[in-house]
Amino acid sequence: MSQDQDSFLYALSSNNAWAGYKAHQNPNFFSKLASGQTPQILWLGCSDSRCPETTILGLQPGDVFVHRNIANIISPTDINTSAVIEYAVVHLKVKHVVLCGHSACGGAAAALGDTRVGGVLDTWLTPLKALRHAHAEDLDAIKDTGVRAVKIAELNVEAGVKVLMANYSIQDAIEERGLEVHGCLFDIASGRIKDLGFGTKGGRGVGADGSGENVVKGKHAQLVFRGGNASMTVR
């Protein structure tokens, strides 16, 4: 049996154990999950295997509606992304749209390099390449390659949030029911999510309760945006 087969069989076995644990922990968990979804968050993130949104948010299945692609690029002409946004905002009526980049991003590193990746990837990464050229002076002044990659990842989130804020479905939801848009960065080395301050409230607005924080409640935990950071607490 090959190592690849071993990995797949292990995944199936792990799923079986997880399903058994969840059913034991809460006998109604899966039947309730099967009855429908009411997520509060639309997560737009990177396909990187180290950034599984529900896990790093400390939330549960049913809490987060998700779209991920390489380097979390938001293009207004990408019908895939547009369809996800429309369904989440118009039909599921999520309360928060979160665009999250991350450190150690391969797409960011590729955009900063001078060699071609090959195939369709070079086309896909064109927006990141454009950001590199638009901010060449600032990026070239950063000597540490890791820090430089984080900087272009942040610029990518900022550009993506601007595209989101120009989306008609999002604009209508902001005006009609107070939808919030957040631009964040996940630091893989620490496991922490930082609110970059892009979006409807700049990441630093006062919450509805006047406490200066926004709380997103899931079924078993809640995500708190506070002072430019996001943290999870179990309920």
Side-chain angles (χ1 to χ4, degrees), residues 82-119:
S82 297
V84 170
I85 292 171
E86 183 175 310
Y87 186 71
V89 173
V90 176
H91 298 280
L92 294 177
K93 299 190 181 302
V94 296
K95 297 180 180 179
H96 298 263
V97 176
V98 178
L99 174 58
C100 190
H102 67 96
S103 61
C105 179
L112 290 170
D114 295 318
T115 58
R116 294 182 179 179
V117 180

Side-chain angles (χ1 to χ4, degrees), residues 29 32 38-41 54 57-64 95-96 215-224 231-235:
F29 181 81
K32 185 176 181 181
T38 54
Q40 293 194 36
I41 298 173
T54 304
L57 291 173
L59 298 177
Q60 295 290 327
D63 289 339
V64 188
K95 297 180 180 179
H96 298 263
V215 180
V216 183
K217 295 182 179 180
K219 293 180 178 63
H220 304 285
Q222 63 185 26
L223 178 66
V224 182
S231 60
M232 183 275 292
T233 57
V234 176
R235 296 192 291 128

Side-chain angles (χ1 to χ4, degrees), residues 161-204:
V161 167
K162 289 178 180 178
V163 174
L164 292 173
M165 296 296 286
N167 179 282
Y168 286 143
S169 296
I170 288 178
Q171 288 179 347
D172 289 346
I174 291 173
E175 182 177 350
E176 294 170 5
R177 57 183 182 84
L179 174 72
E180 296 183 16
V181 178
H182 310 271
C184 301
L185 193 86
F186 174 56
D187 177 37
I188 294 178
S190 69
R192 302 288 183 176
I193 297 173
K194 178 183 179 182
D195 191 331
L196 296 175
F198 310 132
T200 49
K201 290 189 174 181
R204 295 171 177 81

Side-chain angles (χ1 to χ4, degrees), residues 109-123 125 129 132:
L112 290 170
D114 295 318
T115 58
R116 294 182 179 179
V117 180
V120 72
L121 288 172
D122 287 312
T123 302
L125 292 172
K129 287 280 190 179
R132 175 196 175 186

